[in-house]
Structure formats: C-alpha cells, structure tokens
Amino acid sequence: MTKLPLNTSRLTFSEFSKRDAEGFFLLNSDPEVMRFTGDVAFKNLEETLSFIRKYNDYELHGMGRWTIRLKSTDKYIGWCGLKYHPDTQEVDIGFRLMHNAWNKGFATEAAIACLEWAKKKEVKKVVARCMIHNSASKRVIEKLGFAFTHSFKEDEVEWHQHELEL
C-alpha cells in the first residue's frame, strides 16, 4: 500500500489494498450507495479482493481511485480519485462513500484534495459525471466549480457531464 501525499484535516488517502476489502465490499453491497453508480455490486469478498489485486490504474496512468479513511479513527469510508480514460484522453473524478459518511462534507473535501493533486501533476481538465437524478453528487460537483457541458445516455441511463479547467 502506498501512502499518498493527499491528506486533509479529516481524511487520509492510500492506494487500494487487501486491507480495504471488507469495507469496499460493504460499500458496494449497499443498494442506496450503488443506486446511482451504474456499477454492479461485488458478489462476495473474494471478488472484491480480486478487483483490488487486479486494479492497476496507478501503474498504467499514474493516478487512480484512492481509499479514504477517517484520520481520527482510521475507519474506511469509501474512495475518491481520478481515472484516466485512454480512449477519450479524459481524466474524470469520482467518489463513493459509505452511507453513514454522507452529508458530512467528506466527498467535497476528498475531491478538493484530488483536484489539488491533479493540478500539481499538470492535469489541465477534469470531467465529472453523474446520473441526472443523483442530486447529491450533482451538488458536490457544482460546489467544486465544474460546469455542465452535456447529457448522454449509457445503458439506457441518462447522465450529465461537467468539466473543470485546472
């Protein structure tokens, strides 16, 4: 596990590791959490561990999604980070938090830290996507200063895309 130079007053960041498997599995098992992701939940803890072992965005692209934990308790609360899409050459920001960590400013705080990291790495533009009915994520995206650019459909679901020039 690599500790990142990303820390906030309340959060620590690290690369995904087997230490995160149980929390990650619980996160992706919560229907309320998964409702607006477009992802399929892990079937079991072994599938979660397999995903973590195979996750190689850090090596391939020098960035990725990062585990976030509460600094005060070291408790797993989810992930936040950047994903490079080679097909579109876009960098997107994403976040997913345990239900009990919602509405506490953690998503905004984590995303701000990730955007500051992106600036230091000379990323010029970051995109953010959310399902059109995901008002909580849309509020975070707007608080971060992203501007709406367009709607699109993926798997019969309508999404909004926002962009931020760094």
Side-chain angles (χ1 to χ4, degrees), residues 11-142:
L11 306 173
T12 61
F13 296 73
S14 61
E15 292 182 0
F16 293 161
S17 74
K18 65 181 181 178
R19 177 177 178 237
D20 305 321
E22 186 177 340
F24 205 164
F25 174 69
L26 292 172
L27 174 71
N28 278 23
S29 297
D30 184 335
E32 277 298 298
V33 170
M34 297 302 284
R35 184 167 58 138
F36 295 118
T37 68
D39 292 338
V40 176
F42 296 123
K43 292 181 183 106
N44 51 44
L45 194 56
E46 186 52 46
E47 189 175 76
T48 309
L49 280 164
S50 177
F51 173 85
I52 290 169
R53 280 192 295 271
K54 292 176 185 173
Y55 190 81
N56 63 355
D57 282 20
Y58 314 122
E59 294 82 22
L60 286 177
H61 308 298
M63 64 181 69
R65 308 300 198 199
W66 297 300
T67 293
I68 50 178
R69 293 181 177 274
L70 292 178
K71 203 180 251 185
S72 60
T73 63
D74 199 40
K75 181 179 177 183
Y76 177 94
I77 62 165
W79 58 259
C80 183
L82 303 163
K83 179 176 180 66
Y84 177 70
H85 298 273
D87 52 332
T88 61
Q89 298 187 345
E90 292 177 319
V91 173
D92 87 39
I93 190 160
F95 43 86
R96 187 173 301 169
L97 299 178
M98 303 290 265
H99 199 177
N100 62 6
W102 291 1
N103 299 311
K104 296 178 178 163
F106 295 132
T108 303
E109 185 175 330
I112 288 170
C114 290
L115 292 171
E116 288 172 2
W117 182 90
K119 283 180 194 174
K120 290 177 187 169
K121 296 296 180 182
E122 299 182 4
V123 173
K124 302 293 183 215
K125 179 177 75 171
V126 177
V127 300
R129 299 176 180 98
C130 65
M131 287 184 182
I132 62 166
H133 300 298
N134 188 345
S135 56
S137 287
K138 185 177 180 196
R139 275 193 308 275
V140 171
I141 290 166
E142 289 172 348

